[in-house]
Amino acid sequence: MQLNEVTFTEARPVDGYGPGFFRVGGEVRHGALLITATGLNTWGGYGDETSLLALAGKVDVVFIGTGAEIAHIPAELRNSLEGAGLGVEVMNSPAACRTYNVLLSEGRRVALAVLPV
């Protein structure tokens, strides 16, 4: 098997996570985060629809990490995001981080809205 090192240009992958924090591009941040290839911001959780809608046209899919366990997001949030043309994939936060990193390394237009474990 041949292994290739992934080089992220300006994008910052999720390097790790733990109780209440994420390490993104070597920087430790606490609380819920919204991460894109061009930025890292705090996220207000499911009630912060505005931050996610601002991604319309800039990303194709938003991975929503629901914490340690997978959970449904509010139907209104899903409908609003999908209505704006955003793909929505919901999974637990560890899986969302891994999936985000893989697609980010492929140069895909993705975002990660993630609640801490």
Side-chain angles (χ1 to χ4, degrees):
M1 174 193 296
Q2 180 179 355
L3 299 176
N4 296 316
E5 183 176 347
V6 175
T7 303
F8 296 94
T9 54
E10 62 192 58
R12 297 169 59 186
V14 179
D15 300 323
Y17 55 87
F21 76 91
F22 296 93
R23 191 175 59 243
V24 181
E27 177 185 349
V28 174
R29 298 284 296 264
H30 294 271
L33 298 177
L34 176 58
I35 308 167
T36 66
T38 59
L40 168 64
N41 296 295
T42 58
W43 179 48
Y46 302 140
D48 188 5
E49 183 177 301
T50 305
S51 295
L52 299 178
L53 288 173
L55 300 172
K58 298 175 186 169
V59 301
D60 298 318
V61 65
V62 177
F63 297 105
I64 299 180
T66 59
E69 301 294 327
I70 190 167
H72 292 284
I73 63 170
E76 314 81 55
L77 176 60
R78 179 182 286 278
N79 293 338
S80 182
L81 297 176
E82 289 176 348
L86 290 166
V88 178
E89 294 292 333
V90 179
M91 53 194 78
N92 67 28
S93 292
C97 291
R98 290 189 301 270
T99 306
Y100 170 78
N101 283 351
V102 168
L103 293 182
L104 186 67
S105 74
E106 295 174 354
R108 303 281 300 275
R109 296 180 349 141
V110 294
L112 175 65
V114 64
L115 298 174
V117 294

